[in-house]
Amino acid sequence: MELKMKDIAQKAGVSVTAVSFALNGKEGISEKTREKILRIVEEEGYTSKKLIQKKEEASKLIFLLYPVNKKEEDSENIDTYSFYEIMHKVEKQIQEYEYNLFFKSVSMQGNFRKEIESIISLYQIEGMIVVGTQMSSAQIKAIRNVNIPMVVIDRFFKEMNIDCIAFDNFAGAYAAVTYLIGKNHKKIGYAGTYSENKNLLERREGFMAGLKEKGVIHDPSCCMFDIKGEDEERWGQLLENPRLMPSALVVENDYLAIDVIKDLRGAGVRVPEDVSIIGFDNSIIADLVAPELTSVDIPWDRLASLAVKCLMEKLEDGAEETLKIRISTKIVIRKSCREL
C-alpha cells in the first residue's frame, strides 16, 4: 500500500510539512532530515513509476517571469512596450510542445524568491523562462536554484553557470555605425536615456568601438546618453543650433528614435535630408513612423524558439548541460537614412 505523507512523517519523526519539503526539493529542512525522509520513501516502495504518473498529471504550465525593479514600478519603462510582443512569441513556441504559458510580473523587492517559489508551488509550474533584461547578477543568483528548470532570456550572464540566451547588442550597434559610415557620414552622434540596463550599455560600447575602429572621430558634443535627463540641456542646444547637429544619429531604441524625430521636426530639421536616424529593436512602430525607421533588428522569434527548445530538453529529456547563446542582429533598411 502506498504511503501517505502523514505515514512517512510518523515513520521519520518529522512534520508533514517537512515531508512535503523533502519530496518537492524545497529548502527549510536539513540535508540529514531530507535524506532520512527520502530513504523511508524509497524503502516503502514510493517508486519512480509513481513519480512518472505524477508528471503525467502535471499542469503543463511554463512560467514567464517578468521581474520589475522599484524604479520601473514608479515610472513608465520603454521595455514594457515590447514585452507583450515577447510574451506572444514565447507562448506560440510553448504551445507547439502542448504546454501553456503562465505570465506574472514580480517585484524584485523584499523576499522575491519566496514569492516566486509560492507561485511555482501554487500553480504547479513545470519550467520557467525569466526575462532577465533588467535583472542584476545578485537577483539571478537568488533564484537560479529554484526546483524547476529555468532559462534566462535577453540578458547574458557570462559569470554564472546558467542557461541564458541574449542578443549581440554590441555587434548590432557596431553594425549601425558601419552602415552609416558606408553612406559617407563622418559626424555620427548617439542618443539614449539613462539606464543601468546591461543591453543598452553594450549598445553604447558597440557604438564607440565602431567609431574608433573605422577611424571616425568621436565628437562628445553629439553623443548624449541621457537626453531626457542629464543631457537634456545639451540636446536642446543642438536643436536650437541645427548647424551643430551630426549628419546621423544612432538612437538606442525605436521608441526613443520616434521622440528624437519629433524633436528634430519641431526644430525644423528634416529626416533624413538633414539628419539620418537609425533605431534599435526593429519594433512594430518602425513601420508606422514617418519616415519609416531604419532599425537594428533583434529576432525575438529566434530567441523564443531557442529558449523554449532549451527548456523542453531539460523538462522532457533531462538535459543537464548549460546553454549560452548570443543571437546575431541585422539592419532593416527603411527610409530614415540617406547617403551623403
Side-chain angles (χ1 to χ4, degrees), residues 282-338:
N282 193 33
S283 303
I284 191 171
I285 60 166
D287 280 317
L288 304 178
V289 66
E292 294 171 0
L293 183 65
T294 294
S295 183
V296 179
D297 180 56
I298 53 174
W300 275 104
D301 283 325
R302 177 65 174 154
L303 184 143
S305 175
L306 287 170
V308 173
K309 181 180 179 182
C310 174
L311 190 63
M312 292 303 160
E313 287 177 349
K314 293 180 178 300
L315 279 170
E316 299 181 352
D317 302 329
E320 295 182 356
E321 66 274 8
T322 299
L323 183 69
K324 290 179 180 285
I325 297 177
R326 289 259 195 196
I327 300 176
S328 298
T329 60
K330 66 178 181 179
I331 297 174
V332 177
I333 299 171
R334 295 188 180 90
K335 299 178 180 179
S336 62
C337 296
R338 77 176 184 96

Side-chain angles (χ1 to χ4, degrees), residues 36-319:
K36 181 179 181 181
I37 293 169
L38 294 179
R39 185 169 60 250
I40 292 171
V41 166
E42 183 178 358
E43 290 172 353
E44 296 294 335
Y46 196 81
T47 65
S48 58
K49 181 177 180 180
K50 291 185 176 65
L51 293 176
I52 292 171
Q53 288 172 345
K54 283 182 175 288
K55 178 69 175 177
E56 290 173 346
E57 297 167 1
S59 67
K60 305 288 282 187
L61 282 179
I62 302 300
F63 182 14
L64 181 63
L65 168 63
Y66 183 62
V68 181
N69 288 310
K70 178 62 177 176
K71 55 189 174 184
E72 295 175 67
E73 295 174 334
D74 295 339
S75 62
E76 184 178 29
N77 180 8
I78 287 175
D79 291 324
T80 61
Y81 285 112
S82 59
F83 176 71
Y84 296 101
E85 298 175 42
I86 299 167
M87 184 170 64
H88 173 70
K89 295 181 188 304
V90 171
E91 182 175 34
K92 181 179 177 181
Q93 294 294 327
I94 285 173
Q95 288 176 343
E96 290 186 9
Y97 291 87
E98 298 183 350
Y99 279 72
N100 294 302
L101 184 70
F102 175 86
F103 158 69
K104 185 172 175 58
S105 61
V106 174
S107 173
M108 294 289 101
Q109 307 298 313
N111 193 350
F112 56 87
R113 177 188 171 111
K114 183 177 180 180
E115 181 179 354
I116 292 169
E117 288 180 331
S118 295
I119 292 169
I120 291 170
S121 176
L122 178 63
Y123 295 98
Q124 299 180 357
I125 302 295
E126 296 190 52
M128 182 163 66
I129 295 176
V130 180
V131 182
T133 313
Q134 299 286 350
M135 293 191 73
S136 66
S137 295
Q139 289 169 339
I140 284 290
K141 286 178 181 177
I143 67 170
R144 65 176 174 175
N145 292 324
V146 294
N147 194 39
I148 57 172
M150 180 177 80
V151 177
V152 179
I153 61 173
D154 200 33
R155 180 70 194 276
F156 198 84
F157 291 94
K158 61 183 179 181
E159 73 277 16
M160 272 184 272
N161 185 33
I162 189 170
D163 295 274
C164 51
I165 304 173
F167 301 109
D168 196 339
N169 290 282
F170 181 98
Y174 184 98
V177 171
T178 301
Y179 173 76
L180 292 170
I181 292 173
K183 287 189 168 293
N184 299 315
H185 291 275
K186 303 298 181 184
K187 189 177 182 181
I188 303 172
Y190 187 95
T193 54
Y194 174 77
S195 177
E196 296 177 358
N197 183 323
K198 181 65 174 176
N199 293 337
L200 298 185
L201 296 178
E202 290 174 356
R203 293 176 189 183
R204 298 173 189 185
E205 291 168 0
F207 169 82
M208 298 299 290
L211 293 181
K212 182 178 180 180
E213 293 185 27
K214 298 299 180 180
V216 174
I217 296 175
H218 165 228
D219 185 347
S221 68
C222 296
C223 293
M224 295 145 292
F225 300 112
D226 188 11
I227 66 170
K228 294 188 176 182
E230 185 176 317
D231 296 322
E232 184 175 13
E233 183 177 348
R234 190 148 53 90
W235 174 235
Q237 291 171 350
L238 283 179
L239 292 171
E240 292 173 2
N241 299 277
R243 61 185 179 83
L244 300 178
M245 277 279 181
S247 65
L249 279 168
V250 176
V251 187
E252 68 183 15
N253 67 70
D254 291 345
Y255 291 94
L256 182 60
I258 290 177
D259 288 342
V260 167
I261 290 173
K262 288 179 180 177
D263 287 348
L264 291 171
R265 187 178 294 137
V269 180
R270 300 170 298 169
V271 177
E273 291 84 357
D274 301 320
V275 178
S276 291
I277 302 290
I278 183 167
F280 214 111
D281 292 337
N282 193 33
S283 303
I284 191 171
I285 60 166
D287 280 317
L288 304 178
V289 66
E292 294 171 0
L293 183 65
T294 294
S295 183
V296 179
D297 180 56
I298 53 174
W300 275 104
D301 283 325
R302 177 65 174 154
L303 184 143
S305 175
L306 287 170
V308 173
K309 181 180 179 182
C310 174
L311 190 63
M312 292 303 160
E313 287 177 349
K314 293 180 178 300
L315 279 170
E316 299 181 352
D317 302 329

Side-chain angles (χ1 to χ4, degrees), residues 11-24:
K11 285 180 175 290
V14 298
S15 67
V16 172
T17 300
V19 174
S20 176
F21 283 178
L23 294 178
N24 289 285

